[in-house]
Amino acid sequence: MAGIKIVTIGGGSSYTPELVEGFIKRYDKLPVKELWLVDVPEGKEKLEIVGALAKRMVEDAGVPIDVHLSLDRREALPGADFVTTQIRVGQLDARAKDESIPLKYGVIGQETNGPGGLFKGLRTIPVILDICRDIEVLCPDAWLINFSNPAGMVTEAVLRHSNISKTVGLCNVPVGMRMGVAEMLDVDSDRVQIDFAGLNHMVYGLNVYLDGKNITENVLEQLVSGEGLTMKNIVDLGWEKDFIKGLGALPCPYHRYYYQTSKMLEAEQKDFAEKGSRAQVVQQLEKDLFELYKNPDLSVKPEQLEERGGAYYSDAACSLINSIYNDKRDIQPVNTRNNGAILGLPADSAVEVNCVITKDGPRPIAVGDLPVAVRGLIQQIKSFERVSAEAAVTGDYQKAMLAMTINPLVPSDSIAKAILDEMMEAHRDYLPQFLKAATP
Ligand code: G6P
């Protein structure tokens, strides 16, 4: 590759300046020649605002990256080396429904877990698979790097239901956990290493090291004595000391939904009553961000972006692209084909695990058996992801019902059915596969 071409689908996202900053910082090693920001026609205004900021950022930094804007991904894709996807089908209004409808039934409303995660998957997967079909034809050698949530389920769908094999799913949770531990210990994050294993938003730090010395116990001790690890979008309710010590591994912030279900539900209901859903909070944050982005004198990423849960995502993305491009063979946690790294999970399923990143993609590092206490939950979430992906692809109502019911956050089949039907109706404009499947 001489001069890299990147195509970012969902380029009008408020997160895009992070990505642009990441490419600018790494330009010496990762010479991006063309950056195409692509969005749907409804996102034209946002794309133009973010695109203009991206152009000012590269100009101000003095790097020769050509930023192109397009509302047609088929125009952008030819010749791409990397395609990144950060889409939100139905925008934040759909997220608001994912978060608020389940709450009415006393079930956690969250955009990647439980019913919200299922519906985000049902809306997103068909679009990602369409993108895969375009990649196959227009840039068959490109890497597809997906951040769209639910990232684990989307990666599972791409691996099982597309012809694309050069794909990686990415999330900022592992990097956020490493940064959080570094902050807890008051050390530079480069000195902290974590053995990550599990699934997306269901990943554990099996061992934590400082300069190569295993300090897991010390970190867990701090975790239970008030130094909670969390992210902007997830409330920190502390942990029961004996649970964490018994677990012996570092949970991720999303584990709170499974291990503290009733407390998290109460907190979400309270938050919802006081401030509205997280989607509504983010809508306001986005409004403010776009006002800032419009300022013609702004040519760097504004600090306010750090109020979003996705902080550090560009670090994860740019480090990954850099390591593939330069065959760095460093270790990064990503979502990829298990290939036997985690025993007990299918070889052809997506897992989130530390990998050696080579020019041929991630090589998962063998974990072996997961601790017996976490195996069951991981299996259940993997079943949920697989069944959900199948429902998204086929438009089979009973598969969607199955996915909803086997999710551990949903307490019964009847509640599952009530939530499913209300959400199907609320999101019907974005679920054409179910309407087609229902037509005789
Ligand atoms: C975390 C998750 C991301 C998610 C984000 C939501 O960072 O890892 O997958 O997209 O939070 O943040 P938001 O600011 O949109 O609530």
mmCIF file with all atom_site columns, all heavy atoms in Angstrom, residues 15 88 95 111-112 147 149 171-173 201 231-233 254 278 282 285 307-311, ligand 1:
data_model
loop_
_atom_site.group_PDB
_atom_site.id
_atom_site.type_symbol
_atom_site.label_atom_id
_atom_site.label_alt_id
_atom_site.label_comp_id
_atom_site.label_asym_id
_atom_site.label_entity_id
_atom_site.label_seq_id
_atom_site.pdbx_PDB_ins_code
_atom_site.Cartn_x
_atom_site.Cartn_y
_atom_site.Cartn_z
_atom_site.occupancy
_atom_site.B_iso_or_equiv
_atom_site.pdbx_formal_charge
_atom_site.auth_seq_id
_atom_site.auth_comp_id
_atom_site.auth_asym_id
_atom_site.auth_atom_id
_atom_site.pdbx_PDB_model_num
ATOM   1   N N   . TYR A 1 15  ? -18.156 11.433 16.751 1.00 0.00 ? 15  TYR A N   1
ATOM   2   C CA  . TYR A 1 15  ? -16.884 10.833 17.168 1.00 0.00 ? 15  TYR A CA  1
ATOM   3   C C   . TYR A 1 15  ? -15.773 11.004 16.118 1.00 0.00 ? 15  TYR A C   1
ATOM   4   O O   . TYR A 1 15  ? -14.601 10.792 16.415 1.00 0.00 ? 15  TYR A O   1
ATOM   5   C CB  . TYR A 1 15  ? -17.056 9.324  17.388 1.00 0.00 ? 15  TYR A CB  1
ATOM   6   C CG  . TYR A 1 15  ? -17.699 8.928  18.709 1.00 0.00 ? 15  TYR A CG  1
ATOM   7   C CD1 . TYR A 1 15  ? -18.869 8.184  18.745 1.00 0.00 ? 15  TYR A CD1 1
ATOM   8   C CD2 . TYR A 1 15  ? -17.108 9.273  19.925 1.00 0.00 ? 15  TYR A CD2 1
ATOM   9   C CE1 . TYR A 1 15  ? -19.446 7.799  19.947 1.00 0.00 ? 15  TYR A CE1 1
ATOM   10  C CE2 . TYR A 1 15  ? -17.672 8.893  21.134 1.00 0.00 ? 15  TYR A CE2 1
ATOM   11  C CZ  . TYR A 1 15  ? -18.842 8.157  21.153 1.00 0.00 ? 15  TYR A CZ  1
ATOM   12  O OH  . TYR A 1 15  ? -19.397 7.770  22.345 1.00 0.00 ? 15  TYR A OH  1
ATOM   13  N N   . ARG A 1 88  ? -25.329 4.216  12.940 1.00 0.00 ? 88  ARG A N   1
ATOM   14  C CA  . ARG A 1 88  ? -26.413 4.127  13.917 1.00 0.00 ? 88  ARG A CA  1
ATOM   15  C C   . ARG A 1 88  ? -27.711 4.173  13.123 1.00 0.00 ? 88  ARG A C   1
ATOM   16  O O   . ARG A 1 88  ? -28.194 5.252  12.763 1.00 0.00 ? 88  ARG A O   1
ATOM   17  C CB  . ARG A 1 88  ? -26.317 5.298  14.898 1.00 0.00 ? 88  ARG A CB  1
ATOM   18  C CG  . ARG A 1 88  ? -27.240 5.166  16.081 1.00 0.00 ? 88  ARG A CG  1
ATOM   19  C CD  . ARG A 1 88  ? -27.195 6.388  16.967 1.00 0.00 ? 88  ARG A CD  1
ATOM   20  N NE  . ARG A 1 88  ? -26.043 6.486  17.847 1.00 0.00 ? 88  ARG A NE  1
ATOM   21  C CZ  . ARG A 1 88  ? -25.807 5.718  18.902 1.00 0.00 ? 88  ARG A CZ  1
ATOM   22  N NH1 . ARG A 1 88  ? -26.636 4.756  19.204 1.00 0.00 ? 88  ARG A NH1 1
ATOM   23  N NH2 . ARG A 1 88  ? -24.748 5.901  19.655 1.00 0.00 ? 88  ARG A NH2 1
ATOM   24  N N   . ARG A 1 95  ? -32.317 4.794  19.356 1.00 0.00 ? 95  ARG A N   1
ATOM   25  C CA  . ARG A 1 95  ? -31.666 4.417  20.618 1.00 0.00 ? 95  ARG A CA  1
ATOM   26  C C   . ARG A 1 95  ? -32.560 4.776  21.807 1.00 0.00 ? 95  ARG A C   1
ATOM   27  O O   . ARG A 1 95  ? -32.654 4.018  22.775 1.00 0.00 ? 95  ARG A O   1
ATOM   28  C CB  . ARG A 1 95  ? -30.313 5.124  20.734 1.00 0.00 ? 95  ARG A CB  1
ATOM   29  C CG  . ARG A 1 95  ? -29.630 4.877  22.065 1.00 0.00 ? 95  ARG A CG  1
ATOM   30  C CD  . ARG A 1 95  ? -28.240 5.488  22.088 1.00 0.00 ? 95  ARG A CD  1
ATOM   31  N NE  . ARG A 1 95  ? -27.607 5.366  23.394 1.00 0.00 ? 95  ARG A NE  1
ATOM   32  C CZ  . ARG A 1 95  ? -26.412 5.863  23.698 1.00 0.00 ? 95  ARG A CZ  1
ATOM   33  N NH1 . ARG A 1 95  ? -25.721 6.501  22.769 1.00 0.00 ? 95  ARG A NH1 1
ATOM   34  N NH2 . ARG A 1 95  ? -25.905 5.713  24.895 1.00 0.00 ? 95  ARG A NH2 1
ATOM   35  N N   . GLU A 1 111 ? -28.357 0.183  25.108 1.00 0.00 ? 111 GLU A N   1
ATOM   36  C CA  . GLU A 1 111 ? -28.262 0.038  23.654 1.00 0.00 ? 111 GLU A CA  1
ATOM   37  C C   . GLU A 1 111 ? -27.466 -1.182 23.190 1.00 0.00 ? 111 GLU A C   1
ATOM   38  O O   . GLU A 1 111 ? -27.484 -1.497 21.999 1.00 0.00 ? 111 GLU A O   1
ATOM   39  C CB  . GLU A 1 111 ? -27.697 1.307  23.022 1.00 0.00 ? 111 GLU A CB  1
ATOM   40  C CG  . GLU A 1 111 ? -26.288 1.602  23.412 1.00 0.00 ? 111 GLU A CG  1
ATOM   41  C CD  . GLU A 1 111 ? -25.609 2.572  22.458 1.00 0.00 ? 111 GLU A CD  1
ATOM   42  O OE1 . GLU A 1 111 ? -26.114 2.808  21.358 1.00 0.00 ? 111 GLU A OE1 1
ATOM   43  O OE2 . GLU A 1 111 ? -24.551 3.079  22.832 1.00 0.00 ? 111 GLU A OE2 1
ATOM   44  N N   . THR A 1 112 ? -26.745 -1.841 24.088 1.00 0.00 ? 112 THR A N   1
ATOM   45  C CA  . THR A 1 112 ? -26.005 -3.020 23.603 1.00 0.00 ? 112 THR A CA  1
ATOM   46  C C   . THR A 1 112 ? -26.338 -4.279 24.380 1.00 0.00 ? 112 THR A C   1
ATOM   47  O O   . THR A 1 112 ? -25.886 -5.354 24.030 1.00 0.00 ? 112 THR A O   1
ATOM   48  C CB  . THR A 1 112 ? -24.471 -2.807 23.687 1.00 0.00 ? 112 THR A CB  1
ATOM   49  O OG1 . THR A 1 112 ? -24.113 -2.618 25.050 1.00 0.00 ? 112 THR A OG1 1
ATOM   50  C CG2 . THR A 1 112 ? -24.038 -1.617 22.883 1.00 0.00 ? 112 THR A CG2 1
ATOM   51  N N   . PHE A 1 147 ? -16.999 -0.593 14.356 1.00 0.00 ? 147 PHE A N   1
ATOM   52  C CA  . PHE A 1 147 ? -17.250 -0.147 15.738 1.00 0.00 ? 147 PHE A CA  1
ATOM   53  C C   . PHE A 1 147 ? -18.736 -0.101 16.025 1.00 0.00 ? 147 PHE A C   1
ATOM   54  O O   . PHE A 1 147 ? -19.130 0.227  17.134 1.00 0.00 ? 147 PHE A O   1
ATOM   55  C CB  . PHE A 1 147 ? -16.787 1.288  16.017 1.00 0.00 ? 147 PHE A CB  1
ATOM   56  C CG  . PHE A 1 147 ? -15.532 1.709  15.367 1.00 0.00 ? 147 PHE A CG  1
ATOM   57  C CD1 . PHE A 1 147 ? -15.523 2.703  14.414 1.00 0.00 ? 147 PHE A CD1 1
ATOM   58  C CD2 . PHE A 1 147 ? -14.339 1.131  15.736 1.00 0.00 ? 147 PHE A CD2 1
ATOM   59  C CE1 . PHE A 1 147 ? -14.358 3.106  13.821 1.00 0.00 ? 147 PHE A CE1 1
ATOM   60  C CE2 . PHE A 1 147 ? -13.164 1.533  15.147 1.00 0.00 ? 147 PHE A CE2 1
ATOM   61  C CZ  . PHE A 1 147 ? -13.167 2.513  14.185 1.00 0.00 ? 147 PHE A CZ  1
ATOM   62  N N   . ASN A 1 149 ? -22.261 -0.739 17.182 1.00 0.00 ? 149 ASN A N   1
ATOM   63  C CA  . ASN A 1 149 ? -22.784 -1.639 18.208 1.00 0.00 ? 149 ASN A CA  1
ATOM   64  C C   . ASN A 1 149 ? -24.004 -2.381 17.717 1.00 0.00 ? 149 ASN A C   1
ATOM   65  O O   . ASN A 1 149 ? -24.682 -1.904 16.815 1.00 0.00 ? 149 ASN A O   1
ATOM   66  C CB  . ASN A 1 149 ? -23.158 -0.822 19.452 1.00 0.00 ? 149 ASN A CB  1
ATOM   67  C CG  . ASN A 1 149 ? -21.989 -0.692 20.382 1.00 0.00 ? 149 ASN A CG  1
ATOM   68  O OD1 . ASN A 1 149 ? -21.200 -1.629 20.512 1.00 0.00 ? 149 ASN A OD1 1
ATOM   69  N ND2 . ASN A 1 149 ? -21.864 0.459  21.025 1.00 0.00 ? 149 ASN A ND2 1
ATOM   70  N N   . CYS A 1 171 ? -13.787 -2.163 20.055 1.00 0.00 ? 171 CYS A N   1
ATOM   71  C CA  . CYS A 1 171 ? -14.504 -1.518 21.144 1.00 0.00 ? 171 CYS A CA  1
ATOM   72  C C   . CYS A 1 171 ? -13.501 -0.777 22.011 1.00 0.00 ? 171 CYS A C   1
ATOM   73  O O   . CYS A 1 171 ? -12.330 -1.155 22.083 1.00 0.00 ? 171 CYS A O   1
ATOM   74  C CB  . CYS A 1 171 ? -15.204 -2.592 21.967 1.00 0.00 ? 171 CYS A CB  1
ATOM   75  S SG  . CYS A 1 171 ? -16.167 -1.898 23.315 1.00 0.00 ? 171 CYS A SG  1
ATOM   76  N N   . ASN A 1 172 ? -13.976 0.258  22.687 1.00 0.00 ? 172 ASN A N   1
ATOM   77  C CA  . ASN A 1 172 ? -13.068 1.021  23.541 1.00 0.00 ? 172 ASN A CA  1
ATOM   78  C C   . ASN A 1 172 ? -13.045 0.508  24.983 1.00 0.00 ? 172 ASN A C   1
ATOM   79  O O   . ASN A 1 172 ? -12.317 1.048  25.805 1.00 0.00 ? 172 ASN A O   1
ATOM   80  C CB  . ASN A 1 172 ? -13.467 2.501  23.533 1.00 0.00 ? 172 ASN A CB  1
ATOM   81  C CG  . ASN A 1 172 ? -14.832 2.707  24.146 1.00 0.00 ? 172 ASN A CG  1
ATOM   82  O OD1 . ASN A 1 172 ? -15.669 1.808  24.124 1.00 0.00 ? 172 ASN A OD1 1
ATOM   83  N ND2 . ASN A 1 172 ? -15.060 3.873  24.707 1.00 0.00 ? 172 ASN A ND2 1
ATOM   84  N N   . VAL A 1 173 ? -13.853 -0.511 25.298 1.00 0.00 ? 173 VAL A N   1
ATOM   85  C CA  . VAL A 1 173 ? -13.901 -0.972 26.691 1.00 0.00 ? 173 VAL A CA  1
ATOM   86  C C   . VAL A 1 173 ? -12.525 -1.462 27.180 1.00 0.00 ? 173 VAL A C   1
ATOM   87  O O   . VAL A 1 173 ? -12.061 -1.022 28.240 1.00 0.00 ? 173 VAL A O   1
ATOM   88  C CB  . VAL A 1 173 ? -15.011 -2.031 26.893 1.00 0.00 ? 173 VAL A CB  1
ATOM   89  C CG1 . VAL A 1 173 ? -14.806 -2.816 28.169 1.00 0.00 ? 173 VAL A CG1 1
ATOM   90  C CG2 . VAL A 1 173 ? -16.373 -1.335 26.947 1.00 0.00 ? 173 VAL A CG2 1
ATOM   91  N N   . HIS A 1 201 ? -18.307 -6.279 25.388 1.00 0.00 ? 201 HIS A N   1
ATOM   92  C CA  . HIS A 1 201 ? -19.091 -5.805 26.538 1.00 0.00 ? 201 HIS A CA  1
ATOM   93  C C   . HIS A 1 201 ? -19.341 -6.942 27.532 1.00 0.00 ? 201 HIS A C   1
ATOM   94  O O   . HIS A 1 201 ? -20.296 -6.906 28.320 1.00 0.00 ? 201 HIS A O   1
ATOM   95  C CB  . HIS A 1 201 ? -20.418 -5.154 26.093 1.00 0.00 ? 201 HIS A CB  1
ATOM   96  C CG  . HIS A 1 201 ? -20.194 -3.810 25.441 1.00 0.00 ? 201 HIS A CG  1
ATOM   97  N ND1 . HIS A 1 201 ? -21.207 -2.965 25.076 1.00 0.00 ? 201 HIS A ND1 1
ATOM   98  C CD2 . HIS A 1 201 ? -19.051 -3.157 25.120 1.00 0.00 ? 201 HIS A CD2 1
ATOM   99  C CE1 . HIS A 1 201 ? -20.702 -1.860 24.544 1.00 0.00 ? 201 HIS A CE1 1
ATOM   100 N NE2 . HIS A 1 201 ? -19.391 -1.970 24.555 1.00 0.00 ? 201 HIS A NE2 1
ATOM   101 N N   . MET A 1 231 ? -17.324 3.844  32.787 1.00 0.00 ? 231 MET A N   1
ATOM   102 C CA  . MET A 1 231 ? -17.240 4.740  31.651 1.00 0.00 ? 231 MET A CA  1
ATOM   103 C C   . MET A 1 231 ? -18.354 5.777  31.799 1.00 0.00 ? 231 MET A C   1
ATOM   104 O O   . MET A 1 231 ? -19.259 5.607  32.616 1.00 0.00 ? 231 MET A O   1
ATOM   105 C CB  . MET A 1 231 ? -17.391 4.008  30.316 1.00 0.00 ? 231 MET A CB  1
ATOM   106 C CG  . MET A 1 231 ? -17.443 2.524  30.430 1.00 0.00 ? 231 MET A CG  1
ATOM   107 S SD  . MET A 1 231 ? -16.901 1.570  29.012 1.00 0.00 ? 231 MET A SD  1
ATOM   108 C CE  . MET A 1 231 ? -15.825 2.578  28.089 1.00 0.00 ? 231 MET A CE  1
ATOM   109 N N   . LYS A 1 232 ? -18.280 6.808  30.981 1.00 0.00 ? 232 LYS A N   1
ATOM   110 C CA  . LYS A 1 232 ? -19.207 7.927  31.151 1.00 0.00 ? 232 LYS A CA  1
ATOM   111 C C   . LYS A 1 232 ? -20.678 7.517  31.099 1.00 0.00 ? 232 LYS A C   1
ATOM   112 O O   . LYS A 1 232 ? -21.531 8.150  31.683 1.00 0.00 ? 232 LYS A O   1
ATOM   113 C CB  . LYS A 1 232 ? -18.984 8.962  30.043 1.00 0.00 ? 232 LYS A CB  1
ATOM   114 C CG  . LYS A 1 232 ? -17.674 9.669  30.140 1.00 0.00 ? 232 LYS A CG  1
ATOM   115 C CD  . LYS A 1 232 ? -17.728 10.799 31.154 1.00 0.00 ? 232 LYS A CD  1
ATOM   116 C CE  . LYS A 1 232 ? -16.406 11.528 31.122 1.00 0.00 ? 232 LYS A CE  1
ATOM   117 N NZ  . LYS A 1 232 ? -15.911 12.033 32.340 1.00 0.00 ? 232 LYS A NZ  1
ATOM   118 N N   . ASN A 1 233 ? -20.975 6.446  30.345 1.00 0.00 ? 233 ASN A N   1
ATOM   119 C CA  . ASN A 1 233 ? -22.377 6.085  30.160 1.00 0.00 ? 233 ASN A CA  1
ATOM   120 C C   . ASN A 1 233 ? -22.855 5.019  31.141 1.00 0.00 ? 233 ASN A C   1
ATOM   121 O O   . ASN A 1 233 ? -23.984 4.564  31.031 1.00 0.00 ? 233 ASN A O   1
ATOM   122 C CB  . ASN A 1 233 ? -22.605 5.593  28.719 1.00 0.00 ? 233 ASN A CB  1
ATOM   123 C CG  . ASN A 1 233 ? -21.690 4.448  28.337 1.00 0.00 ? 233 ASN A CG  1
ATOM   124 O OD1 . ASN A 1 233 ? -20.516 4.446  28.692 1.00 0.00 ? 233 ASN A OD1 1
ATOM   125 N ND2 . ASN A 1 233 ? -22.212 3.474  27.641 1.00 0.00 ? 233 ASN A ND2 1
ATOM   126 N N   . TYR A 1 254 ? -19.617 -3.142 31.730 1.00 0.00 ? 254 TYR A N   1
ATOM   127 C CA  . TYR A 1 254 ? -20.922 -3.684 31.325 1.00 0.00 ? 254 TYR A CA  1
ATOM   128 C C   . TYR A 1 254 ? -21.354 -4.894 32.158 1.00 0.00 ? 254 TYR A C   1
ATOM   129 O O   . TYR A 1 254 ? -22.529 -5.271 32.141 1.00 0.00 ? 254 TYR A O   1
ATOM   130 C CB  . TYR A 1 254 ? -20.915 -4.044 29.833 1.00 0.00 ? 254 TYR A CB  1
ATOM   131 C CG  . TYR A 1 254 ? -21.039 -2.812 28.966 1.00 0.00 ? 254 TYR A CG  1
ATOM   132 C CD1 . TYR A 1 254 ? -19.919 -2.054 28.629 1.00 0.00 ? 254 TYR A CD1 1
ATOM   133 C CD2 . TYR A 1 254 ? -22.276 -2.371 28.523 1.00 0.00 ? 254 TYR A CD2 1
ATOM   134 C CE1 . TYR A 1 254 ? -20.029 -0.903 27.869 1.00 0.00 ? 254 TYR A CE1 1
ATOM   135 C CE2 . TYR A 1 254 ? -22.399 -1.219 27.760 1.00 0.00 ? 254 TYR A CE2 1
ATOM   136 C CZ  . TYR A 1 254 ? -21.274 -0.482 27.437 1.00 0.00 ? 254 TYR A CZ  1
ATOM   137 O OH  . TYR A 1 254 ? -21.397 0.662  26.694 1.00 0.00 ? 254 TYR A OH  1
ATOM   138 N N   . ARG A 1 278 ? -30.345 7.871  28.219 1.00 0.00 ? 278 ARG A N   1
ATOM   139 C CA  . ARG A 1 278 ? -28.971 8.249  27.827 1.00 0.00 ? 278 ARG A CA  1
ATOM   140 C C   . ARG A 1 278 ? -28.993 8.833  26.401 1.00 0.00 ? 278 ARG A C   1
ATOM   141 O O   . ARG A 1 278 ? -28.276 9.775  26.109 1.00 0.00 ? 278 ARG A O   1
ATOM   142 C CB  . ARG A 1 278 ? -28.053 7.024  27.924 1.00 0.00 ? 278 ARG A CB  1
ATOM   143 C CG  . ARG A 1 278 ? -26.639 7.222  27.401 1.00 0.00 ? 278 ARG A CG  1
ATOM   144 C CD  . ARG A 1 278 ? -25.757 8.038  28.328 1.00 0.00 ? 278 ARG A CD  1
ATOM   145 N NE  . ARG A 1 278 ? -24.476 8.352  27.685 1.00 0.00 ? 278 ARG A NE  1
ATOM   146 C CZ  . ARG A 1 278 ? -23.621 9.284  28.100 1.00 0.00 ? 278 ARG A CZ  1
ATOM   147 N NH1 . ARG A 1 278 ? -23.886 9.996  29.190 1.00 0.00 ? 278 ARG A NH1 1
ATOM   148 N NH2 . ARG A 1 278 ? -22.501 9.502  27.470 1.00 0.00 ? 278 ARG A NH2 1
ATOM   149 N N   . VAL A 1 282 ? -27.334 12.229 25.299 1.00 0.00 ? 282 VAL A N   1
ATOM   150 C CA  . VAL A 1 282 ? -26.365 12.286 24.205 1.00 0.00 ? 282 VAL A CA  1
ATOM   151 C C   . VAL A 1 282 ? -26.846 13.234 23.096 1.00 0.00 ? 282 VAL A C   1
ATOM   152 O O   . VAL A 1 282 ? -26.053 13.951 22.477 1.00 0.00 ? 282 VAL A O   1
ATOM   153 C CB  . VAL A 1 282 ? -26.088 10.855 23.668 1.00 0.00 ? 282 VAL A CB  1
ATOM   154 C CG1 . VAL A 1 282 ? -25.325 10.881 22.364 1.00 0.00 ? 282 VAL A CG1 1
ATOM   155 C CG2 . VAL A 1 282 ? -25.315 10.041 24.699 1.00 0.00 ? 282 VAL A CG2 1
ATOM   156 N N   . LEU A 1 285 ? -25.764 16.515 24.189 1.00 0.00 ? 285 LEU A N   1
ATOM   157 C CA  . LEU A 1 285 ? -24.304 16.612 24.056 1.00 0.00 ? 285 LEU A CA  1
ATOM   158 C C   . LEU A 1 285 ? -23.913 16.812 22.590 1.00 0.00 ? 285 LEU A C   1
ATOM   159 O O   . LEU A 1 285 ? -23.040 17.620 22.265 1.00 0.00 ? 285 LEU A O   1
ATOM   160 C CB  . LEU A 1 285 ? -23.663 15.297 24.514 1.00 0.00 ? 285 LEU A CB  1
ATOM   161 C CG  . LEU A 1 285 ? -23.255 15.159 25.978 1.00 0.00 ? 285 LEU A CG  1
ATOM   162 C CD1 . LEU A 1 285 ? -22.867 13.715 26.285 1.00 0.00 ? 285 LEU A CD1 1
ATOM   163 C CD2 . LEU A 1 285 ? -22.060 16.073 26.249 1.00 0.00 ? 285 LEU A CD2 1
ATOM   164 N N   . GLU A 1 307 ? -16.951 13.648 27.054 1.00 0.00 ? 307 GLU A N   1
ATOM   165 C CA  . GLU A 1 307 ? -18.156 13.341 27.836 1.00 0.00 ? 307 GLU A CA  1
ATOM   166 C C   . GLU A 1 307 ? -18.904 12.135 27.264 1.00 0.00 ? 307 GLU A C   1
ATOM   167 O O   . GLU A 1 307 ? -19.821 11.611 27.870 1.00 0.00 ? 307 GLU A O   1
ATOM   168 C CB  . GLU A 1 307 ? -19.107 14.556 27.852 1.00 0.00 ? 307 GLU A CB  1
ATOM   169 C CG  . GLU A 1 307 ? -18.631 15.689 28.726 1.00 0.00 ? 307 GLU A CG  1
ATOM   170 C CD  . GLU A 1 307 ? -18.250 15.222 30.118 1.00 0.00 ? 307 GLU A CD  1
ATOM   171 O OE1 . GLU A 1 307 ? -19.083 14.583 30.769 1.00 0.00 ? 307 GLU A OE1 1
ATOM   172 O OE2 . GLU A 1 307 ? -17.078 15.452 30.525 1.00 0.00 ? 307 GLU A OE2 1
ATOM   173 N N   . ARG A 1 308 ? -18.519 11.705 26.051 1.00 0.00 ? 308 ARG A N   1
ATOM   174 C CA  . ARG A 1 308 ? -19.167 10.549 25.457 1.00 0.00 ? 308 ARG A CA  1
ATOM   175 C C   . ARG A 1 308 ? -18.501 9.268  25.961 1.00 0.00 ? 308 ARG A C   1
ATOM   176 O O   . ARG A 1 308 ? -17.315 9.265  26.315 1.00 0.00 ? 308 ARG A O   1
ATOM   177 C CB  . ARG A 1 308 ? -19.046 10.591 23.913 1.00 0.00 ? 308 ARG A CB  1
ATOM   178 C CG  . ARG A 1 308 ? -19.758 11.749 23.250 1.00 0.00 ? 308 ARG A CG  1
ATOM   179 C CD  . ARG A 1 308 ? -21.268 11.646 23.352 1.00 0.00 ? 308 ARG A CD  1
ATOM   180 N NE  . ARG A 1 308 ? -21.821 10.392 22.859 1.00 0.00 ? 308 ARG A NE  1
ATOM   181 C CZ  . ARG A 1 308 ? -22.126 10.142 21.587 1.00 0.00 ? 308 ARG A CZ  1
ATOM   182 N NH1 . ARG A 1 308 ? -21.937 11.060 20.680 1.00 0.00 ? 308 ARG A NH1 1
ATOM   183 N NH2 . ARG A 1 308 ? -22.659 8.989  21.240 1.00 0.00 ? 308 ARG A NH2 1
ATOM   184 N N   . GLY A 1 309 ? -19.309 8.187  25.956 1.00 0.00 ? 309 GLY A N   1
ATOM   185 C CA  . GLY A 1 309 ? -18.786 6.907  26.456 1.00 0.00 ? 309 GLY A CA  1
ATOM   186 C C   . GLY A 1 309 ? -17.682 6.327  25.591 1.00 0.00 ? 309 GLY A C   1
ATOM   187 O O   . GLY A 1 309 ? -16.921 5.467  26.022 1.00 0.00 ? 309 GLY A O   1
ATOM   188 N N   . GLY A 1 310 ? -17.584 6.784  24.360 1.00 0.00 ? 310 GLY A N   1
ATOM   189 C CA  . GLY A 1 310 ? -16.646 6.147  23.424 1.00 0.00 ? 310 GLY A CA  1
ATOM   190 C C   . GLY A 1 310 ? -15.233 6.704  23.460 1.00 0.00 ? 310 GLY A C   1
ATOM   191 O O   . GLY A 1 310 ? -14.478 6.492  22.509 1.00 0.00 ? 310 GLY A O   1
ATOM   192 N N   . ALA A 1 311 ? -14.850 7.373  24.551 1.00 0.00 ? 311 ALA A N   1
ATOM   193 C CA  . ALA A 1 311 ? -13.500 7.932  24.636 1.00 0.00 ? 311 ALA A CA  1
ATOM   194 C C   . ALA A 1 311 ? -12.471 6.845  24.328 1.00 0.00 ? 311 ALA A C   1
ATOM   195 O O   . ALA A 1 311 ? -12.675 5.679  24.681 1.00 0.00 ? 311 ALA A O   1
ATOM   196 C CB  . ALA A 1 311 ? -13.271 8.486  26.034 1.00 0.00 ? 311 ALA A CB  1
HETATM 197 C C1  . G6P B 2 .   ? -18.999 2.818  25.617 1.00 0.00 ? 1   G6P B C1  1
HETATM 198 C C2  . G6P B 2 .   ? -19.113 1.604  24.758 1.00 0.00 ? 1   G6P B C2  1
HETATM 199 C C3  . G6P B 2 .   ? -19.465 1.938  23.367 1.00 0.00 ? 1   G6P B C3  1
HETATM 200 C C4  . G6P B 2 .   ? -20.687 2.811  23.350 1.00 0.00 ? 1   G6P B C4  1
HETATM 201 C C5  . G6P B 2 .   ? -20.479 4.041  24.194 1.00 0.00 ? 1   G6P B C5  1
HETATM 202 C C6  . G6P B 2 .   ? -21.757 4.829  24.335 1.00 0.00 ? 1   G6P B C6  1
HETATM 203 O O1  . G6P B 2 .   ? -17.859 3.449  25.343 1.00 0.00 ? 1   G6P B O1  1
HETATM 204 O O2  . G6P B 2 .   ? -17.960 0.818  24.776 1.00 0.00 ? 1   G6P B O2  1
HETATM 205 O O3  . G6P B 2 .   ? -19.707 0.735  22.687 1.00 0.00 ? 1   G6P B O3  1
HETATM 206 O O4  . G6P B 2 .   ? -20.979 3.192  22.039 1.00 0.00 ? 1   G6P B O4  1
HETATM 207 O O5  . G6P B 2 .   ? -20.071 3.697  25.461 1.00 0.00 ? 1   G6P B O5  1
HETATM 208 O O6  . G6P B 2 .   ? -21.449 6.105  24.746 1.00 0.00 ? 1   G6P B O6  1
HETATM 209 P P1  . G6P B 2 .   ? -22.538 7.270  24.698 1.00 0.00 ? 1   G6P B P1  1
HETATM 210 O O7  . G6P B 2 .   ? -21.809 8.511  25.033 1.00 0.00 ? 1   G6P B O7  1
HETATM 211 O O8  . G6P B 2 .   ? -23.090 7.251  23.296 1.00 0.00 ? 1   G6P B O8  1
HETATM 212 O O9  . G6P B 2 .   ? -23.565 6.882  25.701 1.00 0.00 ? 1   G6P B O9  1
#
